[in-house]
Amino acid sequence: MQATKKQENPEKSKRFETPWHLLEPWQAAAWLKVDPEKGLDHEESQRRLDAFGPNMIMEQRRRGPMRMFIGQFTDFMIIVLILAGIVSGLIGESSDTIAIAVIVVLNGVIGFIQEFRAERAVAALKRLASPTAQVLRGGSIQTVAARDLVPGDLVLLEAGNVVPADLKLLDVARLKVEEAALTGESLPVEKSRAVLRELESPLGDRRNMAYKGTIATYGRGLGMIVATGMETELGKIARLLSQDKESKTPLQQRLAVFGKRLALLVLTICAIIFAVGLLRGEPPVLMFLTAVSLAVAAIPEALPAVSTVSLALGARRMVQKNALIRRLPAVETLGSVTFICSDKTGTLTQNRMQAEAFYVEESMREGIAQDFPPPLLHALALNNDARRDEQGIVVGDPTETALYEAAVRAGYDGAELVKTMPRLDEVPFDSERKLMSTLHQDDSGFVVYTKGAPENLLPLCVEQWHASGPQPLAVENVMATAEQMAAQGLRVLALAWKRLAERPSPQSGDALESGLCFLGLVGLMDPPRPEAKQAVDLCRSAGIVPVMITGDHPATAKAIALRLGIADENSEVLTGQDLANMSLEEFEQRVNSVRVYARVAPEQKIKIVQALQDKGEFVAMTGDGVNDAPALGIANIGVSMGKIGTDVAREASHMVLLDDNFATIVTAVREGRRIFDNIRKFIKYALTGNSAEIWTLFLAPFIGLPIPLLPIHILWINLVTDGLPGLALAVEPEERGIMQRPPRPPQQSIFAEGMWQHILWVGLLMAGVSLFAQGWAYVTDSPRWQSMVFTVLTLSQMGHVLAIRSDRVSLFRQGLFSNLPLLGAVILTFGLQMAVLYVPVLQPIFKTQALSLNELLFCLGLSSVVFVTVEIEKWVRRRRT
């Protein structure tokens, strides 16, 4: 491969052999020729990408188009058919040989197109799922695809990011990295920028390095890329490993097992037909070709491939609806989801918080006013990581952007304040403390600002701010006010500050977060998404239970849940503390009735998922954080956020919401049901037609009729009926009421709900009308009896494919033009069938004769019997319900 050759570049090899952990940051920057203040410019990064190749772990080389095409002819039954064609040629039946060759090649082309499209679709999904990184290039922060990173790039790391390449750390702020995948170290490693002195230091001791594939779990950092792709430590390990094969989906596995069992049955029937034909005095070569052709036509070897095409193309269609499927089995699982456990912020709500109310100096105030205490406004502006992007838009955590914008509206812009009050240290927010503190310096000395959950911050405060001077803190009154604000659907944060005469020692979190002065409360509103209410209603009609899980206050959670219709006034709200005090067995007794969880720690999501699964439910769980990854992994459908989600959450998930919208999950469930329905329709259609061909040849001798079809007829029927019409079913629109029916039980057989009975009786019906045509031709002494059977069997399947577009709704109500690809395929098949009957040059090849007008009309009438009967079956089903 080209990338492999480029790795042999002497200059590159020299760079990658450098002991980076022994170098000072400035030395590493000089060695890589990069400005640590601005990063690489666009031209230089592109030049290095061309020289070093993409930042990717090389996969095993996939089959090329030629090998893929040749692979279509390696199936055992196809090989037998090819040998049968050769035998036909040797005994002088050259027309049979040519016809068989044409059929085999056409089948190969169709199979190649299916596999090639599936490969391209899956590859496209993988490209869409590729991670990104925040990179400093040309003095500005940019989002760059991880595969486009190059040595010398400056990468910003935050908690939850997967390290995209091997980094020399230039700056850290309490950065911790989980390196278990690389070093086996079970606990996160705290990083520093200090230079090491040991040349042979093991990877786990190189605290000033971060390696590709490891996970930042705490704090922030800035690193310079020193190795990419196969030159990283992870890449060196990858060289020793063989690439795993793509695993088949559960549906594919079930179809493969079914196919093998059916193959044994079909081969047995073919052997019987062959033996009966010999006993009736039929030519052995003819009976051999007939048996082989029937086996090839009847064995549904393409079903697993068709399911892959349907799943992959369906997954690509979901991308257009903002649902990125990372694992194909998820498409199947979506149809079985019974519970959707969703985050509130950003998923059910707009993720556009605003500061709506303040509690300052023991009074409530609406909006922002200029007379607010300066320390409060400074805390809003400086105690967060929100920032302005290149377009001047404030970006960052929704809560922090709301606080930042509130300060800006009052005339306190954090970007300007930080120049006069720079941040010297910080204690980052984490899900356990629910606090964040920053240390700043101003003209008067040092000042600490802290924000967090009121119940966590107030115990750290010893007084409260007042214009007239510090006042005693009435904790009970403040907490009561916080409860009242939360009951109105506001997210409540407390703010505090203190001044210090001296700067505390680095990393002294306790010194920063003690003896604080309470400044006030801020109430933030994140209103529900307009489409979320409709999506919740749709869930309920589909038999799916929506559940809200949030870290917010219980009253806030219930207020939003009430507005969305997830809960009612009598619904209980279970808190993280309640969960902690319950055993799994106790919780399982209540889990089916709980609709709102509040103050839940991310790790408690695992308990919720397990309890629901133990009750037989199929769970879709959303998450965006590092700690959400275990719950996403064990959920039946793990759903991560595409906008605010961490890399870790996305890697653990089955599906990524590109718009972080709850309604998108419901849309994906809807699409998953449609895809599964269409796969079932294809299986019903293909197996019914195949069984009809078997019954026709199997029953004819037992009712005193000669073998009704020649090998070329069987192969032709298989080609034109299982080809375009079958594939066109994959794009069938969803059935009416698809979201008004309960979820499909996950262990339910694909042949449930009367499908196998339909395959049996409709296959017998097709065979019956075909044999009736043969008998009628015999009675009327028509020499064209074989062409009549051939035509009736082919056109019956066209009527069948139109009728089974829905299990219940009549075709006349659906509309003939509601699936134009299928209508086009049926018309094309009809035209091809007429061509082999009436085009003189084709008649010798297909052993056909032109039917008279009366015979053609008779065949059309018989063929329509199947369509009419299936429509009656659907009418009966509708009447019963």
Side-chain angles (χ1 to χ4, degrees), residues 29-305:
W31 190 256
L32 288 169
K33 300 179 181 178
V34 60
D35 183 346
E37 298 296 326
K38 296 183 178 180
L40 302 173
D41 59 31
H42 176 74
E43 291 75 14
E44 178 62 17
S45 63
Q46 188 59 50
R47 188 190 72 78
R48 296 191 184 192
L49 182 61
D50 294 338
F52 289 87
N55 175 35
M56 298 172 62
I57 302 299
M58 288 188 297
E59 297 184 0
Q60 188 179 38
R61 191 172 183 180
R62 295 188 177 277
R63 292 197 307 169
M66 183 56 68
R67 290 184 61 194
M68 202 179 292
F69 181 71
I70 294 174
Q72 306 304 316
F73 306 98
T74 58
D75 181 77
F76 172 74
M77 295 308 302
I78 296 297
I79 293 174
V80 173
L81 185 60
I82 293 172
L83 293 176
I86 294 173
V87 171
S88 295
L90 293 177
I91 64 174
E93 297 289 341
S94 57
S95 60
D96 282 351
T97 300
I98 295 172
I100 289 173
V102 171
I103 296 295
V104 168
V105 171
L106 284 174
N107 269 312
V109 170
I110 292 174
F112 166 77
I113 292 172
Q114 291 176 358
E115 186 174 346
F116 185 69
R117 290 187 68 186
E119 285 281 339
R120 288 182 60 188
V122 173
L125 291 178
K126 288 186 176 180
R127 288 195 298 271
L128 285 169
S130 62
T132 59
Q134 295 293 312
V135 178
L136 182 62
R137 283 186 178 175
S140 64
I141 297 174
Q142 303 174 19
T143 300
V144 177
R147 70 188 307 273
D148 294 333
L149 298 177
V150 296
D153 265 330
L154 303 179
V155 177
L156 284 74
L157 290 178
E158 295 181 346
N161 292 155
V162 174
V163 179
D166 286 2
L167 306 178
K168 167 71 175 176
L169 295 174
L170 307 182
D171 190 21
V172 296
R174 305 192 192 283
L175 179 65
K176 294 183 180 181
V177 178
E178 171 64 68
E179 299 182 333
L182 194 62
T183 67
E185 177 67 40
S186 59
L187 297 176
V189 177
E190 187 160 355
K191 295 295 182 177
S192 74
R193 58 195 300 269
V195 176
L196 302 180
R197 301 302 176 195
E198 301 254 345
L199 177 61
E200 300 299 329
S201 297
L203 293 181
D205 292 340
R206 298 180 186 178
R207 301 299 178 91
N208 58 7
M209 301 289 294
Y211 294 103
K212 181 178 176 67
T214 58
I215 302 165
T217 60
Y218 192 83
R220 299 181 289 109
L222 174 68
M224 180 188 304
I225 294 180
V226 297
T228 58
M230 296 301 290
E231 296 301 326
T232 62
E233 296 298 329
L234 186 65
K236 294 172 184 176
I237 295 174
R239 292 183 191 275
L240 306 176
L241 304 175
S242 59
Q243 179 69 22
D244 292 336
K245 295 182 178 178
E246 290 285 341
S247 59
K248 292 185 176 181
T249 70
L251 176 61
Q252 287 177 291
Q253 293 171 356
R254 291 199 298 269
L255 291 178
V257 171
F258 169 76
K260 290 177 182 178
R261 293 174 179 172
L262 182 61
L264 294 175
L265 176 63
V266 168
L267 290 175
T268 302
I269 294 174
C270 290
I272 295 173
I273 291 174
F274 177 74
V276 172
L278 291 182
L279 292 175
R280 287 172 52 88
E282 302 285 354
V285 173
L286 173 63
M287 292 312 304
F288 171 71
L289 291 177
T290 300
V292 171
S293 301
L294 183 61
V296 171
I299 296 173
E301 69 279 347
L303 282 184

Side-chain angles (χ1 to χ4, degrees), residues 479-494:
M479 285 304 302
T481 302
E483 293 282 350
Q484 293 172 4
M485 295 172 69
Q488 300 169 16
L490 298 172
R491 181 177 184 183
V492 184
L493 290 176

Side-chain angles (χ1 to χ4, degrees), residues 36 76 238 351 358 374 441 478 486 522 572 589 648 696 719 761 764 794 822 848 878:
F76 172 74
N351 198 17
F358 288 83
Q441 185 175 13
V478 175
V522 55
E572 67 171 331
Q589 296 176 4
V648 180
T696 301
L719 175 67
W761 79 260
L764 281 169
T794 301
L822 181 59
T848 57
R878 292 194 300 271

